[in-house]
Amino acid sequence: MQLREARTVNREARTVKIVERVRRAYKRIAEVDRPEVWITLRSQDDVLTDAAAVDTSLPLAGMLVAVKDNVDVAGLPTTAACPEFSYVPAVSATAVARLVEQGAVVLGKTNLDQFATGLVGTRSPYGAVRCAWNPELVSGGSSSGSAVAVALGIADIGIGTDTAGSGRVPAAFHGLVGIKTTLGIISATGVVPACADYDAVTVLARELETATRATRIMSGYDNADPRSRTWPADVRLAASPAPRVAIPRSEDLDSLSPAYRAAFDATVASLKSRGIAYEEVDISGLLGIATLLYDGAIVAQRYSAVGGFLATEPPSADPTVAQIVRGAASPSAHSYVDDLATIAMGKRAAATLLDGFDGSDGFDGLLLPTTTEHPTIAAVQADPLGINRRLGTFTNFCNLLDMAAVAVPGAPTAAGDPFGVMVLVPTFDDQVALDLAAAIVGVDAPVLVDAGLDVLVVGAHMKGFPVHHQLTDRGARFLGDVVTSDAYRLVDLGTTPPKPGLVRHGPGLGAPIAGELYRMSAVGLGTFLAGLPAPMGLTSVELSDGRAVTGFCCSYDAAEAGIDITEFGGWRAYAASPPVRAE
């Protein structure tokens, strides 16, 4: 009875904290007085009602979410920043529904560059969204309102979309994290398309862990989305132990403002202290691909999405957006096919670059400045197309080439202003990008990809031993040091190179044996098993906490011929005792 009462008290205390979080958010909304951030802001009473009903045991319990207004939230208008386009969905977008199911609370719908067309945040009849820390500067778009809501300390999570960099550019301007997964990993059901083949739902947050947790919850196959994808059986679950990144040559950075160039150089200079090696590569081909998104026939996807609607000339259509989308009706079908061929060649070129060339080692990812400069609103109004095009120099090619990206703060400018970098990786290497991004900002890497199988190693595959690379080459992720139950004995098999064998004898007939636990993809584990030499094998092994994991074993005849070293408690301790081993 007392335990039940204590749990009830704790639950009620957590609910009070969630409710207070909502009250603080609305107080903050009043303090900052940024009405242009919101297109539809829910009433405080409605949000408090939702907050009070949250199951406090859920992973996102009480986290406040600002949703870009081209993403459906049940019962709230979706406008895509065009009042005449407005409709009220009966159900939320799959991504939003998954967040709410896990305890998140929606504050409202945020402003954006109309129809998600732009990287500036000024193309909206609801007003230009101003930078959170300097109202004369642009906020970055198109996920402008969501980014600013997070940057101002109102929302914990901002939901945006990213076709050309719309979730990454505003993150860079505000010192936020922006995660853009491999296309299709997060469902686009319930999202007004910009370019349907290249749209991605993205997350903005102040911390990498928060952004990753939300991304992990939103991820997952959705049968309602024809472009939905799942993690493949050979997905990499970790960056290399000694990671290498590619960085652009000096001439590939000519578009950077002087302040941003200095900040990027400072970020690169810090990599070695973060344990990351780097090498300059030629990315001019990738930058050429980037121009296709607005200047090539691929822009026809924008016309397919909303061109028919804008052809009716709605009064609130943004002139720049209307110009871009209406112009997308003109490319010929053969030009579109030509662009697709160019993109296919670009994918091969990007893969070749990261895999290594001329005999060099490959790279875990590509490190780039997120964008080129931070313009004023006035400058963008004077040159709406030119500046926007320049802001997408490094972001535009990512989705065309089916790459994933994580944007994080880099070294600040000399004036102390935010500057952002991003890690780009091949399709499905999202966890690798997160590991690299975490190293850059100096935090523990959160786990996004939880696929795979847990594998126990107790000998030559552990860190510092000869065949450890057989795990890391397969992208295995270190989970921690563990020990077995007392049902196992360990023997030195007398092989070259030296390795032990683990044999089950039964509860109490052995001793706890130290080892390391890794997570491997299904394909990685399969190829690992196929390459094991006799007398080694894999079987179910019981850990001291009762978990059963896949682990190494050896045949009984090999164990009988070996030297019992159970008393050492593990291979590492035995290997550190050469006088004893020699006996």
Side-chain angles (χ1 to χ4, degrees), residues 86-317:
S86 180
Y87 63 90
V88 179
V91 296
S92 294
T94 301
V96 173
R98 288 173 174 171
L99 293 176
V100 172
E101 287 168 0
Q102 296 302 316
V105 177
V106 174
L107 288 171
K109 306 293 291 296
T110 56
N111 203 355
L112 64 149
D113 280 324
Q114 193 173 76
F115 294 114
T117 303
L119 294 174
V120 287
T122 63
R123 300 171 175 177
S124 172
Y126 295 95
V129 181
R130 298 167 288 169
C131 172
W133 52 273
N134 184 340
E136 294 185 358
L137 302 178
V138 298
S139 58
S142 60
S143 306
S144 51
S146 292
V148 173
V150 173
L152 289 173
I154 297 168
D156 301 296
I157 299 166
I159 298 304
T161 59
D162 187 316
T163 306
S166 296
R168 290 166 283 158
V169 170
F173 287 162
H174 291 94
L176 301 177
V177 172
I179 297 180
K180 190 218 74 66
T181 62
T182 291
L183 295 171
I185 288 297
I186 298 177
S187 170
T189 300
V191 178
V192 177
C195 296
D197 286 336
Y198 306 110
D199 293 338
V201 176
T202 55
V203 174
L204 298 121
R206 289 182 289 277
E207 303 87 17
L208 188 62
E209 194 281 330
T210 299
T212 303
R213 195 188 332 164
T215 302
R216 185 172 60 248
I217 286 169
M218 291 194 298
S219 301
Y221 185 75
D222 178 13
N223 193 54
D225 179 1
R227 297 172 178 83
S228 183
R229 301 155 98 179
T230 57
W231 302 116
D234 61 349
V235 62
R236 290 189 65 83
L237 300 177
S240 303
R244 297 177 75 242
V245 296
I247 63 169
R249 305 170 303 166
S250 178
E251 53 265 48
D252 295 327
L253 299 171
D254 287 345
S255 59
L256 289 180
S257 69
Y260 272 26
R261 178 59 189 272
F264 184 68
D265 289 346
T267 303
V268 170
S270 71
L271 292 179
K272 288 186 178 179
S273 67
R274 305 290 189 182
I276 303 173
Y278 61 89
E279 182 180 333
E280 289 188 358
V281 298
D282 180 356
I283 66 163
S284 58
L286 304 183
L287 299 181
I289 294 289
T291 63
L292 296 180
L293 197 56
Y294 279 96
D295 299 329
I298 296 298
V299 76
Q301 290 217 8
R302 292 192 181 272
Y303 190 89
S304 175
V306 294
F309 172 78
L310 286 174
T312 65
E313 299 185 352
S316 62

Side-chain angles (χ1 to χ4, degrees), residues 6-26:
R7 288 175 176 171
T8 299
V9 170
N10 289 337
R11 185 168 57 250
E12 290 175 350
R14 290 194 295 268
T15 298
V16 169
K17 289 182 179 180
I18 293 172
V19 168
E20 285 305 309
R21 177 180 286 176
V22 173
R23 295 189 189 280
R24 288 196 302 271
Y26 278 87

Side-chain angles (χ1 to χ4, degrees), residues 22-24 26-27 41-49:
V22 173
R23 295 189 189 280
R24 288 196 302 271
Y26 278 87
K27 180 181 179 181
L41 178 62
R42 299 179 66 201
S43 73
Q44 181 172 340
D45 287 344
D46 285 348
V47 177
L48 285 171
T49 298

Side-chain angles (χ1 to χ4, degrees), residues 475-548:
R477 187 172 197 84
F478 176 67
L479 299 181
D481 296 314
V482 293
V483 295
T484 70
S485 70
D486 62 3
Y488 299 90
R489 302 195 71 81
L490 193 68
V491 297
D492 181 346
L493 297 174
T495 58
T496 302
K499 59 178 174 285
L502 187 72
V503 183
R504 181 179 174 86
H505 283 255
L509 300 178
I513 303 299
E516 295 173 352
L517 193 63
Y518 290 83
R519 183 162 294 160
M520 298 181 70
S521 69
V523 168
L525 180 59
T527 59
F528 188 56
L529 176 60
L532 286 180
M536 307 305 297
L538 293 175
T539 189
S540 178
V541 177
E542 182 184 65
L543 300 182
S544 58
D545 60 8
R547 284 182 292 166

